[in-house]
Amino acid sequence: MAVRVEGQTFYLETKNTLYQMKADHYGVLKHLWYGVKTGQDMEYLLDYPDVGFSGNIYDADRDRAYSQDTMPLEYATEGVGDFRIPAVGVRYENGASALDLRYEGYRIEDGKYAIPGLPAVYAEEYEAQTLEITLKDVVSDIRVVLKYGVLPDFDVITRSAVIVNDGSQTVMVNKAHSLCLDIPYGKWEWIHFHGRHLKERTPERRPLLHGVQQSSSKRGISSHHQNPTVLLCKEGCTETSGTCIGAALMYSGCFQTQIEYDQLNQTRLVMGINTHMFCWELKPGERFYTPEAILSMSSTGFETLSHQFHRVIREHVCRGKYKLIERPVLINNWEATYFDFNEEKLVEIARGAAELGVDMLVMDDGWFGQRDNDDAGLGDWYVNRDKLPGGLESLVAKVNDLGMDFGIWFEPEMISENSDLYRAHPEWVVRIPGRKPVRGRYQLVLDMSRPDVRDYLFDVMSRILNCANIRYVKWDFNRSVSDWYSELLPSGRQKEMPHRFVLGLYDLLERLTQAFPDVLFEGCCGGGGRFDAGVLYYCPQIWCSDDTDAFERTQIQYGTSFFYPISTIGSHVSAVPNHQTGRTTSVKARGVTAMAGTFGYELDLNKLLPEEKAEVKKQIGLFKEYGPLIHNGKYYRLSNPFEDQYAVWEYVSSDAKKVLVQGMIFRTEPNMLRYPIYLRGLDPEKKYRLREDGIIYSGNALMNGGILIPKAWGDYVPVEMYLEAIDG
Ligand code: DGJ
């Protein structure tokens, strides 16, 4: 049993971890433990003194040591004498905002709960158990149902909360976080993933400072700038040793991760919808569902934690036909043509690609309306006949005749002022009455909280997807949302808009992905501005970054790999000099880097030299061979490309018989001693043959002595070594 209850103590057990909490004699739900399995009630660790200025709940009477300001709590609130960051907050009709939650009961079920209208981890009944703990305010009829999904084999626990108004007055929910985790002891550091457009998910590791630190997004998307994932790790934690806890929020909008290091050197993590621009009116009888947070912990470093997240996201977040099968090798015309294309050019690009083994042509931005540059056409999802005189029917048929599949680009949530849609429906735009809307890339945003907008998008996109043999959709989003306002909401409820926008997005994604189960959907947001587990529930892959420079990608993909599996990371070989950095790298270096993802091309292959074409043909062949290992194997970060002179990573099959090492040596120095790369995850007893030169090494030697990085000449030198066990 994954969930066990002894008295009022709850044990959530996975293969290697224990999560423990207890409703005490006042009914306050205390958090006792999240760590390795101890086989013990961990309450003995909680022995608090009388701390001045930390108040005591009235029921504690003369017990000045009982304070919610000091003890670890399972779901912290306001107005009960806890002055740390709360997980939840409400305001009643009289303006008061206390919420004193006490234990009411619990329920255990086999399987994993779902969340209405929101993405969530899913599992079969035998794979998971759900625990629901109900807490009730001592005065009002507000209840909070804490939901836990326990996936023992994955070492994963999911969390979500439901705020229920069982009373007769309307309350305003002004904070409803998904996760609250109190850690009483230990010196912890945190790692978050920051960046900007073209530079996503740079890990930043910092000791906790007393007070509150946070990473968040107010942009209407999870954003390039911060990612809704966080790592807490003990001082000294490395890839292969030490304790760390990871949390990933399945949410694609404004999020907030807050960590407080308190007066007693205790740590509290809360994570959920950003409280900036959030307030939800909860009428009698209504409930509010928070998004889901995925939690996992490891006592053997970040590598194990990443493996746990990779597995659960790949197997129990991603859905649909493509989640576990090899993805098509794509050629996308964006960097080859930008807006300047027609049927003839696209067919030529496809022809050159088909000859080298590419599976699918993706037609990017510019095929619709009057879209000849980025200042027009968004919203007009009908074919531009000047560019494609025979329509999609003719183009797709020609591409199919080359033996290739066809995919198409949309940016559904956007609208150009110069579009028929805007002329017909200016009221569909997100804007504040009486103010000029903020533009981003010249464009405005559609109010996704409106059902009529979503119906329009569903109809017009369905029409396109039905008119020809279209097998793939790239779903883009190219600006931050700022001037939040919806015409459909009364003034008192405008702060519901950012969350309603995300719910609208999920509604449309659900309808379209269900209606077109054979279409592969790839998420995108100016590259990786919406790279989160929420999008991955609908789209099993996401374009990782608009920066396609191979060197830069080693860093961006390194940061992305802490939480997200390689099969989800959209990654292509593009032209040189690179369009974002001007850097020139070899086709092989670009290929090796792009293989650490879904793999494809983003250039006109006809323009390559014959020897470069031969290399492309070879690398497509290799990807077809290595793809299952890359996507299903375990992924190991063998270097830190932000600190080392090289980026090297490794994939190992589940039986430890196949091993692929790829990467890039950034620069060569004269008289340089070659570095040994220490492989990981091998069978120490097995012998492995290196395909490139036939040399045989023992697993023990490869892991402890290492293998010398190949000889390098020049800069950005690709690394590729394939080893296979020879003794069965
Ligand atoms: C941003 C995407 O990330 C690019 O790949 C491309 O699709 C452009 N948008 C098109 O406008």
Side-chain angles (χ1 to χ4, degrees), residues 183-330:
I183 309 175
Y185 297 102
K187 206 155 172 44
W188 294 81
E189 296 174 343
W190 72 305
I191 302 177
H192 69 115
F193 299 86
H194 70 98
R196 56 181 184 267
H197 180 224
L198 303 170
K199 193 96 191 154
E200 297 90 338
R201 290 171 295 286
T202 302
E204 187 166 60
R205 180 171 179 163
R206 290 283 175 269
L208 294 180
L209 303 178
H210 285 99
V212 179
Q213 33 256 287
Q214 82 162 26
S215 83
S216 65
S217 162
K218 296 195 284 188
R219 296 168 183 271
I221 44 176
S222 46
S223 88
H224 309 78
H225 307 75
Q226 307 271 350
N227 194 262
T229 49
V230 68
L231 288 164
L232 281 171
C233 56
K234 289 261 184 79
E235 236 180 359
C237 181
T238 68
E239 279 290 336
T240 53
S241 69
T243 299
C244 50
I245 294 173
L249 191 69
M250 289 185 77
Y251 194 59
S252 311
C254 307
F255 77 93
Q256 189 174 36
T257 303
Q258 297 175 305
I259 304 173
E260 180 160 358
Y261 192 45
D262 76 5
Q263 56 175 341
L264 301 179
N265 303 330
Q266 306 182 106
T267 300
R268 169 173 293 171
L269 164 69
V270 295
M271 194 179 202
I273 296 172
N274 199 330
T275 47
H276 171 84
M277 276 303 290
F278 175 79
C279 192
W280 197 272
E281 185 180 286
L282 205 61
K283 294 209 173 73
E286 288 184 346
R287 16 186 84 207
F288 180 82
Y289 295 89
T290 74
E292 176 149 291
I294 309 174
L295 262 183
S296 192
M297 76 81 54
S298 148
S299 57
T300 51
F302 303 125
E303 180 174 286
T304 307
L305 196 69
S306 292
H307 290 164
Q308 288 161 190
F309 273 100
H310 288 183
R311 197 170 153 226
V312 74
I313 290 180
R314 187 156 150 73
E315 294 178 22
H316 289 288
V317 170
C318 296
R319 295 181 298 169
K321 167 172 164 179
Y322 288 92
K323 78 170 193 178
L324 294 177
I325 63 173
E326 282 323 298
R327 310 293 163 71
V329 175
L330 310 179

Side-chain angles (χ1 to χ4, degrees), residues 197 200 224 332 334-335 338-339 364-366 371 374 378 409-411 441 443 474 476-478 523-528 543-548 572 602:
H197 180 224
E200 297 90 338
H224 309 78
N332 178 304
W334 178 242
E335 288 197 16
Y338 296 102
F339 294 104
D364 210 279
D365 192 356
R371 182 81 167 163
D374 50 13
L378 289 170
W409 179 97
F410 285 100
E411 194 176 1
R441 202 194 190 196
Q443 62 206 47
K474 179 174 172 187
D476 208 345
F477 189 104
N478 281 300
C524 177
C525 174
W543 181 229
C544 181
S545 176
D546 273 350
D547 186 349
T548 55
H572 296 167
E602 187 101 6

Side-chain angles (χ1 to χ4, degrees), residues 342-390:
N342 54 26
E343 181 182 289
E344 209 179 315
K345 266 198 194 177
L346 291 178
V347 173
E348 255 337 279
I349 290 174
R351 193 186 315 282
E355 280 164 14
L356 301 178
V358 174
D359 301 314
M360 180 186 279
L361 172 81
V362 174
M363 177 175 64
D364 210 279
D365 192 356
W367 57 268
F368 50 90
Q370 295 311 306
R371 182 81 167 163
D372 293 321
N373 55 49
D374 50 13
D375 201 3
L378 289 170
D380 294 345
W381 301 112
Y382 52 83
V383 170
N384 179 326
R385 294 271 165 178
D386 294 336
K387 291 182 183 177
L388 308 177

Side-chain angles (χ1 to χ4, degrees), residues 7-23:
Q8 293 197 146
T9 304
F10 297 86
Y11 292 72
L12 277 52
E13 283 168 326
T14 67
K15 215 166 41 184
N16 296 297
T17 71
L18 168 67
Y19 187 107
Q20 201 180 63
M21 57 204 147
K22 174 180 185 167

Side-chain angles (χ1 to χ4, degrees), residues 463-723:
R463 216 172 304 142
I464 292 291
L465 295 179
N466 279 324
C467 83
N469 180 19
I470 298 176
R471 295 293 182 88
Y472 162 105
V473 164
K474 179 174 172 187
W475 186 302
D476 208 345
F477 189 104
N478 281 300
R479 56 162 293 180
S480 305
V481 191
S482 48
D483 26 5
W484 291 108
Y485 189 89
S486 175
E487 278 203 1
L488 295 193
L489 290 170
S491 60
R493 301 185 69 170
Q494 286 298 331
K495 282 191 156 192
E496 296 180 13
M497 171 58 178
H499 183 53
R500 287 189 181 277
F501 186 91
V502 179
L503 293 176
L505 163 69
Y506 290 153
D507 172 58
L508 183 61
L509 274 166
E510 182 68 18
R511 285 166 70 185
L512 280 164
T513 50
Q514 294 306 320
F516 296 93
D518 291 330
V519 172
L520 169 60
F521 284 78
E522 175 157 351
C524 177
C525 174
R530 206 154 57 180
F531 209 118
D532 56 66
V535 167
L536 288 173
Y537 184 71
Y538 306 95
C539 309
Q541 59 191 59
I542 301 175
W543 181 229
C544 181
S545 176
D546 273 350
D547 186 349
T548 55
D549 175 284
F551 162 71
E552 292 276 315
R553 274 299 187 108
T554 64
Q555 297 186 332
I556 296 170
Q557 292 170 191
Y558 168 85
T560 305
S561 79
F562 277 83
F563 282 88
Y564 303 107
I566 305 309
S567 59
T568 65
I569 300 177
S571 196
H572 296 167
V573 172
S574 62
V576 290
N578 178 267
H579 293 193
Q580 293 79 42
T581 61
R583 185 177 285 118
T584 295
T585 52
S586 67
V587 189
K588 177 147 186 196
R590 283 173 271 155
V592 158
T593 313
M595 277 193 213
T598 55
F599 197 60
Y601 293 84
E602 187 101 6
L603 73 170
D604 185 350
L605 292 168
N606 297 306
K607 296 192 172 150
L608 296 189
L609 300 168
E611 59 273 23
E612 291 176 319
K613 286 187 184 167
E615 171 57 32
V616 166
K617 196 167 185 172
K618 186 169 151 205
Q619 62 192 209
I620 293 173
L622 283 179
F623 184 73
K624 300 254 154 133
E625 181 187 348
Y626 297 151
L629 170 60
I630 292 173
H631 289 175
N632 304 329
K634 281 190 175 162
Y635 175 81
Y636 294 84
R637 292 174 289 267
L638 300 186
S639 75
N640 177 345
F642 290 94
E643 290 171 2
D644 299 325
Q645 281 300 329
Y646 54 94
V648 189
W649 54 90
E650 178 198 17
Y651 314 92
V652 181
S653 62
S654 54
D655 58 6
K657 287 184 178 169
K658 293 179 178 170
V659 183
L660 176 64
V661 178
Q662 289 181 318
M664 182 191 282
I665 303 167
F666 299 148
R667 64 192 194 96
T668 303
E669 292 170 20
N671 290 337
M672 187 174 98
L673 199 58
R674 287 199 279 151
Y675 328 98
I677 311 168
Y678 302 98
L679 303 197
R680 295 209 289 273
L682 308 189
D683 181 339
E685 304 302 324
K686 279 196 183 358
K687 297 254 185 296
Y688 294 86
R689 180 182 286 120
L690 181 62
R691 176 181 273 182
E692 285 69 26
D693 60 12
I695 295 181
I696 294 171
Y697 302 86
S698 74
N700 244 328
L702 289 167
M703 292 195 289
N704 296 299
I707 187 165
L708 291 180
I709 206 160
K711 285 190 182 132
W713 182 249
D715 292 342
Y716 313 113
V717 181
V719 174
E720 187 164 77
M721 294 184 274
Y722 178 77
L723 298 121

